[in-house]
Amino acid sequence: MTAPEYPWERPLGAHPRPDGTSEFRVWAPRAGTLAVRAGGVEHALQDEGYGVYGAEIEAAPGTDYEFVVDGEALPDPSSRWQPDGLRGPSRVLDAAAFEWTDEGWAGVRVPELVIYELHVGTFTPEGTFEAAIPYLEGLRELGITALELMPVAEFPGRHGWGYDGVYISAAHSAYGGPQGLAAFVDAAHAAGLAVLLDVVYNHVGASGAAALEAFGPYFTEKHHTAWGRAMNFDDADCDPVREWALQSAEQWVRDFHLDGLRLDAIHAIVDAGAEHLVAAVSRRVHDITPDAIVIAESGLNDPKVIRPPELGGWGCDAAWADDFHHALRVLTTGETEGWYGEFDSLGTLAKALHRPYVHDGSYSEFRRRRFGAPAEDRPPQQFVVFAQNHDQVGNRAYGDRLPEPARRLAAFSTLLAPFTPMLFMGEEHGEPAPFQFFSDHIDAEIAEATREGRREEFAAFAAFGEDVPDPQDPETFERSKLTRQGDPELRDLYGRLLELRRELPHGEAADIAYDEHSGWLSARRGPYLLVTNFADARVHVPCEEPGEIVLATHRPTVEPGYVVLGPLSGVVLR
């Protein structure tokens, strides 16, 4: 291994050694005075250059420590364990001490992915990694092959969505901390499930901004995001900030045996450098585990994100494709507000069934400009599609899930599409509990701003008024927990769809046809013909040789030259 050229390339944070000592390293160019306090004793750090300071002192795993910056005790920006939450001390973690039993785990490849998005805090009444373990076998039996955990990096309070995390390398204490995460991943592998982790590198929660700023310029005034100042990934002194994020990505895969990462909102990662941070994350993660899966949430509709580096791409293995969802949502529910208005045609879904970038360089009325780029050179498996996810449910005013009449056809269309499908927890049984936007901010000012921001977001909709759930009310969190009540027949349909999916050949859909007026759409997947009806009335779909009915969301009838489908239904013929 090549020796680091610069001191920030050495391991940041606290790293224990077998002799009972630990190596500490921190980037703190703004510190006038600096020490590490471990076990109640302060120790000086040595200047390693470029604002990086380090020391090797007696501190065994489990020792609490803080960096004392100009007299103020602060957690380690690269903390891997915050047992008392955001404002408590960091703790030395010995990741090598985890008792793994997954030596024989071979992982899951992209073509076999069926992803299940899971929020740890609401997946069970207890809301912990440990409590989720008994449900893993059932998900595997359903046909799930990979879990995608919503962010677990230490965030304010005990419950929240996780997208306001601050200590990006520390598994959330209220979920069970690093040991809990390791036990969960080990159990998932034993159940035959891969685990992907949603990570947020485009911003940090406001509750931790001041603590990071005390150390150095983690933020830049050069760029701004929807959440405030951007992370400093391409301004002066950006290299240690980039390394802070890159080492975080590496440790999740290396030390926690995660099978890959989902990168949140990469369009909000502003980086004009020679190697975009997303490309660097992909490269570093794949250097550790070549088969690791890196999925981008990209609002760019730009296939460069998933092209390999040798073709000038960023090297991600897959990307979320919102356009498919939008087209499907409009056709199954009739909603056309906001950006949904651009997807109000069956032809839009037909285009999305070929490649799910509906905007691939075409003009977007909502954006009032051309948007996206063609993705013909990318195989279908690189696009992650869904009928529901945490955003599309939770960012609705009441967090309501897809309405019952739409569920079967939405599942049919998503799970049998040629892309990588993703389910949102509970959709497989028609979960009645909503998934609302909830938080537990520890700063009163930020809590009130979050509450008011939520109200203002829906102020233009007369139907909501002051009735939008308060994110800070504990009841908003509690009512978002899965009840596991619902429709057993719907769960059975999901199982049958996923079983059939395993028989479908890889590759794109063929012979896509549709009738905009009647509302039917058909496509071929190998020997199977998929026929769907998005209309609210029965429709006769021309079919010269209907063949055998393999699977149907609702009972169809076959007539000479036609298959007859009821409203919002689908059938597979062979």
Side-chain angles (χ1 to χ4, degrees), residues 87 164 205-208 441-451 472:
R87 300 281 161 78
D164 51 0
S207 294
H441 285 293
I442 56 179
D443 298 294
E445 184 177 340
I446 296 172
E448 185 57 28
T450 301
R451 184 180 291 117
Q472 285 287 117

Side-chain angles (χ1 to χ4, degrees), residues 453-519:
R454 191 67 174 172
R455 287 175 184 155
E456 291 173 6
E457 184 177 356
F458 297 99
F461 298 89
F464 304 130
E466 291 293 312
D467 197 28
V468 176
D470 178 359
Q472 285 287 117
D473 185 344
E475 281 302 310
T476 305
F477 168 63
E478 290 297 331
R479 74 171 66 96
S480 298
K481 289 179 178 283
L482 292 185
T483 66
R484 291 191 164 77
Q485 299 172 1
D487 183 356
E489 292 185 1
L490 180 63
R491 183 182 173 89
D492 177 66
L493 175 63
Y494 269 81
R496 289 186 289 120
L497 287 167
L498 288 173
E499 183 178 6
L500 175 60
R501 178 182 176 83
R502 292 191 289 273
E503 298 180 19
L504 300 179
H506 298 308
E508 59 191 49
D511 301 331
I512 300 171
Y514 65 97
D515 185 314
E516 194 75 62
H517 176 72
S518 299

Side-chain angles (χ1 to χ4, degrees), residues 233-528:
F233 292 135
D234 68 352
D235 205 353
D237 299 313
C238 66
D239 291 311
V241 185
R242 294 173 65 88
E243 193 65 23
W244 165 77
L246 293 169
Q247 289 190 19
S248 170
E250 289 179 323
Q251 66 109 32
W252 290 124
V253 173
R254 180 190 60 233
D255 299 334
F256 290 88
H257 292 203
L258 285 157
D259 299 276
L261 304 175
R262 181 263 192 187
L263 310 182
D264 178 63
I266 65 163
H267 45 277
I269 298 176
V270 188
D271 182 3
E275 183 182 34
H276 193 281
L277 183 80
V278 171
V281 168
S282 181
R283 173 177 57 81
R284 295 273 286 263
V285 166
H286 288 133
D287 282 348
I288 291 173
T289 305
D291 291 332
I293 298 167
V294 178
I295 299 175
E297 182 202 12
S298 171
L300 301 172
N301 275 27
D302 191 339
K304 74 180 178 186
V305 173
I306 53 177
R307 285 196 183 110
E310 57 268 25
L311 296 180
W314 291 356
C316 293
D317 300 286
W320 277 25
D322 282 343
D323 285 5
F324 182 91
H325 164 272
H326 299 342
L328 188 59
R329 179 97 198 188
V330 170
L331 289 172
T332 55
T333 68
E335 295 180 30
T336 55
E337 289 187 302
W339 59 80
Y340 283 161
E342 295 194 299
F343 298 88
D344 190 15
S345 74
L346 197 56
T348 299
L349 183 60
K351 182 177 182 180
L353 193 57
H354 175 65
R355 289 291 186 282
Y357 287 171
V358 171
H359 289 302
D360 54 1
S362 59
Y363 186 80
S364 166
E365 293 287 347
F366 181 77
R367 298 175 179 86
R368 296 170 59 188
R369 64 181 178 88
R370 289 184 180 274
F371 183 69
E376 292 293 321
D377 64 315
R378 297 294 89 213
Q381 67 196 36
Q382 285 196 280
F383 301 92
V384 178
V385 300
F386 34 81
Q388 303 181 55
N389 66 26
H390 76 272
D391 273 330
Q392 307 302 343
V393 175
N395 283 332
R396 299 173 67 82
Y398 299 125
D400 49 304
R401 295 167 178 268
L402 200 63
E404 191 279 331
R407 292 172 185 168
R408 289 172 173 259
L409 180 54
F412 181 99
S413 302
T414 304
L415 299 184
L416 300 184
F419 315 114
T420 293
M422 186 178 77
L423 289 64
F424 181 58
M425 63 175 196
E427 75 165 81
E428 72 279 12
H429 60 255
E431 174 60 48
F435 185 74
Q436 299 180 336
F437 180 70
F438 48 83
S439 57
D440 186 27
H441 285 293
I442 56 179
D443 298 294
E445 184 177 340
I446 296 172
E448 185 57 28
T450 301
R451 184 180 291 117
E452 286 304 312
R454 191 67 174 172
R455 287 175 184 155
E456 291 173 6
E457 184 177 356
F458 297 99
F461 298 89
F464 304 130
E466 291 293 312
D467 197 28
V468 176
D470 178 359
Q472 285 287 117
D473 185 344
E475 281 302 310
T476 305
F477 168 63
E478 290 297 331
R479 74 171 66 96
S480 298
K481 289 179 178 283
L482 292 185
T483 66
R484 291 191 164 77
Q485 299 172 1
D487 183 356
E489 292 185 1
L490 180 63
R491 183 182 173 89
D492 177 66
L493 175 63
Y494 269 81
R496 289 186 289 120
L497 287 167
L498 288 173
E499 183 178 6
L500 175 60
R501 178 182 176 83
R502 292 191 289 273
E503 298 180 19
L504 300 179
H506 298 308
E508 59 191 49
D511 301 331
I512 300 171
Y514 65 97
D515 185 314
E516 194 75 62
H517 176 72
S518 299
W520 62 262
L521 182 151
S522 66
R524 189 166 289 282
R525 299 287 316 278
Y528 298 98

